């Protein structure tokens, strides 16, 4: 049994996946409520809305995904103010505890740390004007809040909140994987000489990790279709947070970065729609990703 395994309980308040929901983890004191703005009245009628906690406002502002992070001793009143004064947000996440045992210093610390993490990940535009200072907590209380935050950062992606989910992979993780059998952590190569593309990636933890030093296309294909709009936004995000940087006639990955699929990684590297299952080739054998995957499935089921 994995000692890091967690059990997450989601409760869909209205029986709808796009409606109000709560999230709790076994043996964790935290309580998370996610609600669309259209159900704000019903959400504010719940007890936890009046608790001390941290809240996250999400929506689009000027065509960009936007996040605001705040804290309050009475979130109900603060959200009523935001409903009047902030027009752009579409849903909100309230983070507290079921016993309402967070106090002002706790939530100010959590607010500051969440802003720090969101800025580091740089996947979403922050509507916060300033970096809130960390509150003064004892060493024990800081440790408790960091443990609380660790579980919260598992819960948020599970309810489709990715603003705090970093796809950067440490060099230590890559070194350890390289020391393991290559059949467990295979390395793939993607090359497009026309655009100076030469990239390597490993399959680690179910993700495609493009390795630091990989060369990607400097620009991207001009197209107005929806997939290209997403690609342009993703590439802009990677340039903004320093994962990609321009170097001569191409772009360079400065850090190891995880993608959820071989095609997603290929799209960013080639700057165009890419069938990553065909274009990524297994180092040493030349097999496509699709062929390697088929062989792996046969090995595990035979």
């Amino acid at each position: 049994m994995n000692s890091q395994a967690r059990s997450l309980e989601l409760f869909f308040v209205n029986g709808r996946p796009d409606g109000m929901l709560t999230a709790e983890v076994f043996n964790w004191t935290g309580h998370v409520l996610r609600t669309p703005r259209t159900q704000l009245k019903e959400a504010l009628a719940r007890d936890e809305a009046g608790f001390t906690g941290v809240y996250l406002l999400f929506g689009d502002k000027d065509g960009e995904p936007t996040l605001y992070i705040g804290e309050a001793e009475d979130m109900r009143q603060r959200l009523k103010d935001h409903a009047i004064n902030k027009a752009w947000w579409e849903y909100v996440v309230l983070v507290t505890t079921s016993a309402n045992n967070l106090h002002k210093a706790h939530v100010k610390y959590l607010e500051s740390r969440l802003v720090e993490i969101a800025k580091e990940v740089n996947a979403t535009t922050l509507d916060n004007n300033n970096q809130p200072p960390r509150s003064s907590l004892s060493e024990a209380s800081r440790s408790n809040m960091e443990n609380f935050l660790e579980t919260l950062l598992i819960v948020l992606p599970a309810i489709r909140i990715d603003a705090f989910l970093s796809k950067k992979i440490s060099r230590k993780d890559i070194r350890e994987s390289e020391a393991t059998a290559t059949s467990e952590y295979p390395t793939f190569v993607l090359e497009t000489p026309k655009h100076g593309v030469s990239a390597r990636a490993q399959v680690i933890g179910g993700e495609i990790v493009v390795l630091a030093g990989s060369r990607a296309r400097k620009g991207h294909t001009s197209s107005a279709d929806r997939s290209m709009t997403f690609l342009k936004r993703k590439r802009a995000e990677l340039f903004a947070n320093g994962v990609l940087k321009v170097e001569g006639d191409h772009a360079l990955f400065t850090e190891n970065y995880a993608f959820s699929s071989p095609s997603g990684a290929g799209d960013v590297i080639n700057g165009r729609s890419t069938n990553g299952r065909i274009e990524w080739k297994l180092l040493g054998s030349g097999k496509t990703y699709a062929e390697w995957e088929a062989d792996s499935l046969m090995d595990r089921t035979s």
Side-chain angles (χ1 to χ4, degrees):
M1 183 68 168
N2 184 349
S3 62
Q4 299 301 312
R6 310 288 178 91
S7 176
L8 174 66
E9 181 180 86
L10 298 180
F11 177 65
F12 297 91
V13 178
N14 310 112
R16 293 170 43 197
D18 59 345
M20 192 188 315
L21 65 81
T22 65
E24 295 180 313
V25 173
F26 179 74
N27 210 27
W28 181 56
T29 60
H31 177 87
V32 175
L33 172 69
R34 181 185 187 273
T35 186
R37 186 167 181 165
T38 54
Q39 293 184 269
L40 184 61
K41 181 178 179 180
E42 294 88 340
L44 294 185
R46 298 175 64 90
D47 290 343
E48 59 264 43
F51 290 175
T52 300
V54 176
Y55 60 89
L56 316 170
L57 304 178
F58 290 88
D60 282 341
K61 186 177 182 181
D62 301 325
E64 293 291 332
T66 302
L67 162 66
Y68 179 83
I69 302 169
E71 54 78 23
E73 291 180 283
D74 180 349
M75 291 188 291
R76 180 182 291 120
Q77 187 56 52
R78 187 65 55 82
L79 289 171
K80 287 180 181 179
D81 294 340
H82 287 321
I84 296 171
N85 298 314
K86 290 184 182 293
W88 56 267
W89 61 276
E90 298 166 2
Y91 59 95
V92 60
V93 174
L94 282 66
V95 179
T96 184
T97 61
S98 54
N100 192 24
N101 51 15
L102 294 176
H103 56 61
K104 184 70 171 180
H106 288 149
V107 294
K108 285 187 70 65
Y109 183 89
L110 289 174
E111 175 196 36
S112 178
R113 289 286 287 119
L114 286 168
V115 170
E116 288 174 10
I117 295 167
K119 285 183 175 180
E120 180 181 351
V121 172
N122 197 29
T124 306
T125 300
L126 275 177
D127 196 51
N128 297 69
N129 292 325
N130 302 304
Q131 168 69 51
R134 294 188 192 183
S135 55
S136 178
L137 291 175
S138 68
E139 183 179 8
S141 291
R142 286 197 306 273
S143 178
N144 288 338
M145 287 300 96
E146 287 296 327
N147 288 333
F148 184 95
L149 183 62
E150 180 182 357
T151 301
L152 177 62
L153 294 178
I154 294 173
V155 174
L156 291 176
I159 59 171
R160 298 182 293 172
I161 307 297
D162 293 336
F164 308 97
L165 183 62
S166 176
K167 290 291 187 175
K168 298 178 183 180
I169 306 296
S170 72
R171 295 184 185 276
K172 175 177 178 292
D173 291 337
I174 297 298
R175 285 201 299 271
E176 287 176 349
S177 72
E178 289 175 337
T180 311
T182 56
S183 59
E184 184 176 356
Y185 294 105
T187 299
F188 291 86
V189 177
L190 190 156
E191 294 184 332
T192 310
K194 178 181 178 181
H195 298 297
V197 167
S198 180
R200 289 194 178 194
Q202 287 185 318
V203 180
I204 302 174
E207 295 186 298
I208 311 299
V209 181
V210 176
L211 304 183
S214 293
R215 294 199 309 272
R217 186 177 177 181
K218 183 178 179 179
H220 51 72
T221 301
S222 296
S223 175
D225 64 48
R226 188 173 181 178
S227 62
M228 282 303 300
T229 299
F230 175 81
L231 171 59
K232 291 173 186 176
R233 179 178 289 176
K234 184 63 179 179
R235 283 174 59 90
E237 171 195 322
L238 295 181
F239 277 113
N241 64 22
V243 172
L244 278 176
K245 72 172 184 178
V246 174
E247 186 174 273
D249 294 329
H250 56 266
L252 186 74
F253 275 80
T254 63
E255 301 184 59
N256 308 310
Y257 191 85
F259 293 86
S260 59
S261 72
S263 293
D267 289 351
V268 168
I269 291 166
N270 278 326
R272 58 166 170 78
S273 180
T274 299
N275 185 344
R277 292 173 52 77
I278 302 299
E279 295 196 35
W280 284 105
K281 304 293 175 58
L282 184 63
L283 182 66
S285 78
K287 287 183 179 180
T288 66
Y289 181 93
E291 290 169 337
W292 165 81
E293 182 182 57
D295 289 347
S296 299
L297 293 173
M298 289 295 292
D299 290 342
R300 292 172 185 175
T301 58
S302 58

